[in-house]
Amino acid sequence: MTMGAPSADSDSVHSAEPTTRAMRKRADRVRLIEHTAARLFAEYGYEATNFEAIGAALDMRGSSLYYYFPSKEELFLRCMEHAAAEVFPRLRVIAESVGAPLDRLRAMFREEAVITLVEYPEFIPLFLKVQVPVDSLEQRRDELRREQTAIFRRVVDELVTAPQAIPADRLHVTLNLALGGLALIGEWFKPGSDLGVEEFADQVSQTLIRMFVADGG
């Protein structure tokens, strides 16, 4: 078989490959920057963390980060929004699944525990304890926290008709207590202990769900 001139379709396929690889490489670099920045924001605070510090942790020049993010404010915002964009859909899948509301709520607590301890430990402090002197970031953070709470609340509201659940007027307060406890488990869970993350998440979720049962059992 003789080799003819490459077709237009062949050209388009081969020319697309480097672009796809470049996009994938850029996405991986952005993710690494976000994880590193989130860790430094949590450790040193918003004001004490700058592009130079983040770049040094990544073995990059701080000025190189402007190629990915126009400002520290935008980087902080992207850290929060990307974490929420990956976590919230997972919680919604459980919330909207088939099953008793107590079972779904327990599964959501377990998922949140695993996310907090394993997948996004660097990002949790951004939503809780990092002081941010930027009104627009504070506002967006409050919106994201309310959105997360609303996902849980839709399931909790189904407990109003569940005979074994606590009285309706205590449900939302109890949910806030449960979510507050979940947010802090990264502060006192000891990695490498006899109890692994999966077993720990099981215990946490089972303990929290008892708060919603009238007899506590």
Side-chain angles (χ1 to χ4, degrees):
M1 187 170 72
T2 58
M3 295 291 292
S7 67
D9 288 342
S10 176
D11 285 343
S12 64
V13 169
H14 289 294
S15 64
E17 289 178 355
T19 302
T20 301
R21 287 198 298 270
M23 291 173 63
R24 189 161 51 244
K25 184 177 180 180
R26 178 183 173 85
D28 290 343
R29 177 57 62 90
V30 166
R31 178 63 61 86
L32 179 60
I33 292 171
E34 289 175 353
H35 276 264
T36 303
R39 176 173 58 80
L40 294 180
F41 282 135
E43 186 172 353
Y44 299 108
Y46 180 85
E47 292 186 286
T49 302
N50 54 38
F51 275 14
E52 288 301 321
I54 298 168
L58 292 163
D59 198 23
M60 296 171 56
R61 293 171 55 190
S63 58
S64 299
L65 297 182
Y66 286 103
Y67 178 69
Y68 302 94
F69 301 95
S71 65
K72 182 173 73 170
E73 180 179 333
E74 179 67 17
L75 174 53
F76 191 93
L77 176 64
R78 293 274 294 278
C79 285
M80 292 193 299
E81 292 195 330
H82 281 186
E86 295 197 15
V87 172
F88 291 0
R90 290 166 54 176
L91 295 175
R92 289 192 181 96
V93 167
I94 301 172
E96 297 167 4
S97 63
V98 176
L102 278 173
D103 292 338
R104 284 181 281 137
L105 187 60
R106 185 199 60 77
M108 292 171 72
F109 287 150
R110 187 186 189 283
E111 185 80 354
E112 184 77 12
V114 172
I115 288 169
T116 298
L117 295 174
V118 178
E119 301 181 46
Y120 293 93
E122 306 96 335
F123 293 86
I124 301 304
L126 305 189
F127 292 90
L128 297 170
K129 64 181 184 180
V130 176
Q131 299 296 317
V132 185
V134 182
D135 289 342
S136 60
L137 291 179
E138 284 282 9
Q139 180 179 348
R140 183 59 180 147
R141 182 161 63 177
D142 288 344
E143 291 172 353
L144 291 171
R145 286 192 295 219
R146 287 195 297 270
E147 184 177 350
Q148 182 197 31
T149 301
I151 299 171
F152 283 90
R153 185 166 290 180
R154 282 194 289 271
V155 178
V156 167
D157 286 343
E158 296 182 43
L159 295 175
V160 170
T161 58
Q164 72 272 42
I166 61 176
D169 60 353
R170 290 166 49 195
L171 287 173
H172 289 177
V173 171
T174 304
L175 174 61
N176 289 337
L177 289 172
L179 293 180
L182 270 175
L184 295 174
I185 60 175
E187 301 288 333
W188 43 270
F189 174 72
K190 299 295 186 292
S193 63
D194 292 338
L195 195 64
V197 171
E198 298 292 332
E199 294 82 2
F200 180 76
D202 284 333
Q203 287 194 7
V204 167
S205 62
Q206 290 165 5
T207 299
L208 292 178
I209 206 65
R210 292 191 190 104
M211 297 167 58
F212 294 85
V213 179
D215 62 2

